[in-house]
Each structure stands twice: as C-alpha cells, then as structure tokens.
Amino acid sequence: MALTEQMQGQGTWLFKHRGVLPLIIFVIGAGLFLKNESSPENWILKEEIQHYLYELCCLFVSFIGFFIRIYTVGYSRPNTSGRNTKQQVADELNTTGIYSIVRNPLYVGNFFMWLGIAMLTGNFWFVIAFTLFYFLYYERIIFTEEEFLKNKFGETYLNWAKKTPIIVPRFSSFVKSEYSFNWKKVLRQEKNGFAALMIIFCMFDIAGELIKKQPNINETLQSFGIFSVLAYLVLKFIKYRTKLLQDPF
C-alpha cells in the first residue's frame, strides 16, 4: 500500500474515532493528578492559594481553546466546522475570518482546551508527551481532511492552502468574515464541550480535596461547573422542544 493511501486510511479511522483522544488524556491525566495529590511533597506549589490560582490558570488556558472554537463555529459557513464523525462534510470552503490566518482553527482550539486539563496534573513530562501525541494524532486527520477538500474544491482550495498556515496562525493575513456571527450554531454545537470541560475540572478539584482530606473546594470552579450543567440542560430542552436554535436557512 502506498504511503499516501496508508496515511489517508489511518486519517479516516482516526477522524471517525477522534473522540477517543479526550478519554485517553482524561484517564492518564487523572491517574497522574491523583498520584500527585496523594504525595503533596512532589508539588512545586506548596501553598493552598498557589494550588487555587494554578487551577484557575489551567482553566484560563482551556478557555482560550474554547473561545477559539466559539469564534470559529460562530463565523463559519453553514454545514461546515461541525462535530460530525461519520464522514467529511463541507458544503463550502471557509477562507475568511479565522480561516484566513490558519487552516485548522478547531484543532488549535481543541489543543488549548485539552492542554489546560493536561496542565492540571502538575506533571511537566505528561504535558510534553500530550503535546507531541496530539500533533501526531491529528497529523493523519488533517492529511485526510485536506485530501477531501482538495478533491472537492480543486484550485480554490490549493490557492487558499498556499497562503494559509496549517496550524500556527499568521495574523497579518486576516480577512474579515463574510458571515455574521451565528450564536444559534454556537449554542447548538458547543454546549456539550463547555459542560464536559467544566465537569472534568470540577471532578479533578473534588477528587484532589478528598484525597488530601481537606474540604477546601475551589468554589469558582464549582460555580462554573453548576452553571455549565444547567446551561446544557436548558439548551438541550430548547434544541429539541422548540425552534429557537434553528437557522432560518
């Protein structure tokens, strides 16, 4: 089998199962986090306030990724930048807005979201390993997606790809999006990610305090967690019981 066909086959499989990556990160990260919490002498940050601020710093990193996703989804064309896993879908080619400075903004957003979680472990080598694994994992997916776009959009895609970086943004090439921001699409698609992110942070925080037998819960994190769950339930109800989140086209 040719290397190109092999990479495309691997990319297709990884695209369909890309939800597995968060589970791998969560399981390994949770184990390392619990190990560190049970051995506080291994932590560089000794004071409780330092732990508190570090958790908020990790949350901030994850929020950077989440807001990148919000911006990308909100300004993307209809039937693009979705959460589909069965097959590649792109009715049109996104080339303006954030897509004018980087070709894969959603994967950049995902990286920062999961980087914040990886940082929670307090394990420097795990953060490095996660970063390397993430880019190796998504390399095949990006290759497969770009083959799909090249075959579908031809020269239009090639001309855009020549001037737009794959993963590191070139801010000087920014072109304003031709679409208005679509809050309905954002609320439909991103409610799951927001709730999952906050639940993970809350679980890590509670587990750490239980291990240390210190009921000093990070109230800021827990407030975000409760809000995310309530928002998810409300938006889920609105989505399936009303037409408020449906697009007019």
Side-chain angles (χ1 to χ4, degrees):
M1 181 183 293
L3 180 60
T4 301
E5 294 179 357
Q6 185 177 357
M7 289 184 66
Q8 191 162 2
Q10 292 173 356
T12 300
W13 188 88
L14 291 172
F15 178 83
K16 292 180 178 179
H17 300 88
R18 66 187 188 277
V20 174
L21 177 61
L23 295 178
I24 295 173
I25 298 170
F26 176 76
V27 172
I28 298 176
L32 291 172
F33 175 79
L34 295 176
K35 180 181 178 181
N36 277 344
E37 288 295 308
S38 61
S39 305
E41 66 276 6
N42 294 332
W43 275 87
I44 298 176
L45 306 176
K46 301 297 184 182
E47 301 296 328
E48 192 65 34
I49 185 63
Q50 293 176 328
H51 278 276
Y52 179 88
L53 293 175
Y54 181 71
E55 285 182 340
L56 293 183
C57 178
C58 294
L59 182 61
F60 177 75
V61 172
S62 290
F63 270 175
I64 290 175
F66 182 63
F67 285 120
I68 290 174
R69 284 195 58 92
I70 288 177
Y71 185 88
T72 302
V73 171
Y75 281 113
S76 63
R77 297 171 183 263
N79 293 324
T80 63
S81 301
R83 290 184 172 271
N84 51 296
T85 56
K86 293 183 179 180
Q87 61 182 2
Q88 306 284 349
V89 175
D91 288 355
E92 299 180 73
L93 184 65
N94 288 303
T95 59
T96 59
I98 197 168
Y99 282 96
S100 65
I101 63 174
V102 65
R103 301 210 297 264
N104 298 279
L106 288 178
Y107 295 154
V108 175
N110 290 348
F111 170 71
F112 281 103
M113 285 181 70
W114 286 101
L115 176 62
I117 295 173
M119 289 169 57
L120 269 180
T121 65
N123 188 305
F124 173 78
W125 294 112
F126 176 70
V127 174
I128 297 298
F130 155 74
T131 301
L132 294 174
F133 178 70
Y134 184 91
F135 285 104
L136 288 173
Y137 187 95
Y138 274 97
E139 177 189 34
R140 298 295 194 274
I141 295 177
I142 291 172
F143 176 83
T144 302
E145 289 183 340
E146 297 207 336
E147 284 295 305
F148 166 77
L149 294 172
K150 181 173 66 176
N151 292 332
K152 183 165 185 176
F153 299 107
E155 286 298 321
T156 302
Y157 169 77
L158 292 174
N159 292 334
W160 167 70
K162 285 179 183 178
K163 60 183 180 181
T164 311
I166 297 176
I167 209 78
V168 179
R170 183 186 296 132
F171 295 100
S172 61
S173 61
F174 179 78
V175 176
K176 185 179 179 181
S177 176
E178 55 193 288
Y179 282 83
S180 299
F181 192 83
N182 188 343
W183 273 109
K184 292 183 179 181
K185 186 177 182 181
V186 169
L187 293 175
R188 288 198 310 269
Q189 291 188 194
E190 298 307 307
K191 64 183 185 303
N192 298 34
F194 178 60
L197 180 67
M198 293 314 310
I199 289 172
I200 290 174
F201 267 87
C202 289
M203 288 175 61
F204 271 62
D205 181 56
I206 293 172
E209 296 305 320
L210 289 176
I211 286 178
K212 293 184 294 185
K213 298 180 180 179
Q214 297 176 0
N216 191 11
I217 302 297
N218 190 326
E219 294 181 358
T220 304
L221 280 181
Q222 301 308 317
S223 297
F224 272 117
I226 293 171
F227 171 77
S228 70
V229 172
L230 292 176
Y232 172 82
L233 293 174
V234 171
L235 291 172
K236 195 81 170 178
F237 176 84
I238 292 174
K239 179 180 178 180
Y240 290 105
R241 297 288 184 175
T242 74
K243 298 181 179 181
L244 294 176
L245 295 182
Q246 292 183 8
D247 291 318
F249 40 79

